[in-house]
């Protein structure tokens, strides 16, 4: 039963990263253009699906709360301030998404809020991952790192790296969904962002070597983990070839595959810990009775959510028009 909830948690996190990563990436790129036509097309590319994408963040929190309450409590203790900032960024982005079309004179404020909220939320998510990789200070099962123990140079570097990664994902989505100028600009942005992501990965590896991070020993002890970077390298090669051949569809799937390979690397590097390297999955799991009680809801609700996601992306497949807009 524990493994069932571990699997659902992993799927929920991965779906959130891939799906809402698109929205957040488009939001950051939104701030780089002053053209109202391009901004309208960019919003139309994510308008039908962005609300559903954020649902997976809620699912992740609910699974942690119900199935792994110790993890939920520890993470909130460690990341209370950054998570509040992240939620404010997501709220600001959502409000701006709806309000920008209600005004002309003050639209610039909502445009800035949409881009800024996306940037803030993405950076905080990257910082959180970086702090987990570097390791939280836990004493007697409780977080003891202080209010800003999560804020380290490595965590900030991971925040910047995730901003580049989400922006790359968003650019590939715009290439897939848009035509004309929006598509052409996205195609020019992808190589720059890809080089930025590659530079980030090199810096992370060098930092891990210099600081002797615990996760580095996992990579050495588990050489099979290098299968995932190999998959990512193949995906990056196909990405480069698809950009050179002006293919509009493959870049998005290749960047998504790179994210999946990175997620697989981290997940198996942490195993069997759910908070590296202090709390194992078995230690964090709720009582068997609680897991069984939640099970019946999970086997009904989770497939329905997956089905809804598949249907929504199927219904709104295809490209959006340049003159389209979200109203």
């Amino acid at each position: 039963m524990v493994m069932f909830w571990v699997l659902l948690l992993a799927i929920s996190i991965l779906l959130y990263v891939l799906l809402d990563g698109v929205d957040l990436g488009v939001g950051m790129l939104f701030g780089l253009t002053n053209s109202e036509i391009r901004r309208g097309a960019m919003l139309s590319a994510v308008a039908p699906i962005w609300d559903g994408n954020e649902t997976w963040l809620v699912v992740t929190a609910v699974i942690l709360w119900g199935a792994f309450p110790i993890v939920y409590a520890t993470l909130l203790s460690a990341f209370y301030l950054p998570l509040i900032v992240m939620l404010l960024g997501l709220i600001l982005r959502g409000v701006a998404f709806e309000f920008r079309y209600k005004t002309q004179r003050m639209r610039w404020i909502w445009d800035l809020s949409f881009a800024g909220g996306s940037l803030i939320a993405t950076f905080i998510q990257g910082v959180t991952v970086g702090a987990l990789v570097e390791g939280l200070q836990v004493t007697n099962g409780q977080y003891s790192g202080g209010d800003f123990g999560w804020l380290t140079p490595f965590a900030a570097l991971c925040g910047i790296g995730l901003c580049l990664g989400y922006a790359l994902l968003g650019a590939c989505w715009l290439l897939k969904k848009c035509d004309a100028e929006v598509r052409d600009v996205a195609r020019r942005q992808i190589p720059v962002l890809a080089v930025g992501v590659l530079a980030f990965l090199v810096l992370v590896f060098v930092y891990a070597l210099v600081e002797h991070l615990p996760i580095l020993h996992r990579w050495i002890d588990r050489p099979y983990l290098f299968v995932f970077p190999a998959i990512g390298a193949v995906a990056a090669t196909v990405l480069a070839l698809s950009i050179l051949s002006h293919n509009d569809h493959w870049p998005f799937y290749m960047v998504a595959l790179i994210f999946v390979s990175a997620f697989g690397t981290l997940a198996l590097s942490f195993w069997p810990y759910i908070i590296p390297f202090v709390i194992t999955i078995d230690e964090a799991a709720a009582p068997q009775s609680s897991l069984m009680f939640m099970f019946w809801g999970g086997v009904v609700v989770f497939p329905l959510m997956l089905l809804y996601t598949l249907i929504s992306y199927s219904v709104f497949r295809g490209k959006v028009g340049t003159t389209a807009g979200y109203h």
Side-chain angles (χ1 to χ4, degrees):
M1 187 56 62
V2 173
M3 290 307 303
F4 171 81
W5 288 108
V6 170
L7 180 61
L8 258 60
L9 178 63
I11 293 174
S12 300
I13 295 173
L14 181 59
L15 285 175
Y16 175 76
V17 168
L18 291 177
L19 301 182
D20 206 41
V22 167
D23 303 340
L24 292 168
V26 170
M28 288 183 284
L29 296 175
F30 181 89
L32 301 180
T33 177
N34 294 321
S35 169
E36 184 59 30
I37 294 177
R38 283 169 54 191
R39 285 182 169 178
M42 293 170 76
L43 290 179
S44 295
V46 297
I49 41 94
W50 78 282
D51 280 321
N53 293 344
E54 290 192 340
T55 305
W56 294 104
L57 181 63
V58 179
V59 173
T60 298
V62 169
I63 292 176
L64 286 176
W65 174 74
F68 305 101
I70 295 176
V71 177
Y72 185 84
T74 303
L75 292 182
L76 279 185
S77 298
F79 298 113
Y80 186 81
L81 288 177
L83 289 180
I84 289 295
V85 173
M86 182 193 75
L87 291 176
L88 290 175
L90 292 175
I91 292 170
L92 182 63
R93 183 185 66 145
V95 171
F97 201 102
E98 303 292 340
F99 279 19
R100 73 176 302 273
Y101 281 106
K102 307 301 181 183
T103 180
Q104 288 290 335
R105 185 169 57 90
M106 304 297 288
R107 180 171 291 180
W108 67 272
I109 292 179
W110 300 116
D111 287 345
L112 182 63
S113 298
F114 182 66
S118 300
L119 178 64
I120 291 170
T122 302
F123 180 76
I124 292 299
Q125 289 176 21
V127 167
T128 302
V129 173
L132 286 173
V133 170
E134 195 169 16
L136 296 178
Q137 184 176 337
V138 176
T139 304
N140 297 326
Q142 296 186 347
Y143 175 70
S144 57
D147 292 338
F148 295 95
W150 49 271
L151 187 56
T152 65
F154 180 77
L157 176 63
C158 290
I160 296 172
L162 191 61
C163 288
L164 291 171
Y166 277 2
L168 177 60
L169 195 61
C172 291
W173 181 255
L174 293 176
L175 180 67
K176 182 176 184 292
K177 295 291 291 183
C178 298
D179 275 320
E181 188 181 4
V182 177
R183 177 194 60 194
D184 296 338
V185 171
R187 183 176 283 116
R188 292 194 297 268
Q189 290 172 333
I190 288 171
V192 177
L193 293 169
V195 170
V197 171
L198 178 61
F200 158 73
L201 294 175
V202 172
L203 286 175
V204 165
F205 186 73
V206 170
Y207 189 98
L209 284 175
V210 173
E211 297 295 327
H212 302 289
L213 294 185
I215 197 171
L216 181 63
H217 301 292
R218 291 292 175 125
W219 298 340
I220 296 173
D221 296 337
R222 301 174 178 181
Y224 60 84
L225 290 177
F226 288 95
V227 170
F228 291 99
I231 294 173
V234 172
T237 302
V238 177
L239 169 64
L241 293 175
S242 62
I243 291 298
L244 292 174
S245 63
H246 285 227
N247 185 291
D248 290 355
H249 296 279
W250 278 108
F252 174 75
Y253 298 113
M254 292 302 101
V255 172
L257 184 57
I258 291 172
F259 268 87
V260 171
S261 65
F263 180 82
T265 302
L266 282 180
L268 291 180
S269 297
F270 291 168
W271 186 268
Y273 293 93
I274 194 167
I275 295 184
F277 294 94
V278 290
I279 299 177
T280 65
I281 292 171
D282 290 334
E283 291 171 345
Q288 193 72 12
S289 57
S290 298
L291 297 180
M292 282 300 300
F293 178 79
M294 294 174 58
F295 172 78
W296 299 109
V299 295
V300 174
V301 175
F302 204 85
L304 288 176
M305 292 185 61
L306 287 174
L307 181 62
Y308 169 80
T309 300
L310 291 173
I311 291 175
S312 63
Y313 275 82
S314 176
V315 168
F316 295 104
R317 65 185 181 276
K319 290 183 177 289
V320 300
T322 306
T323 58
Y326 175 71
H327 298 276

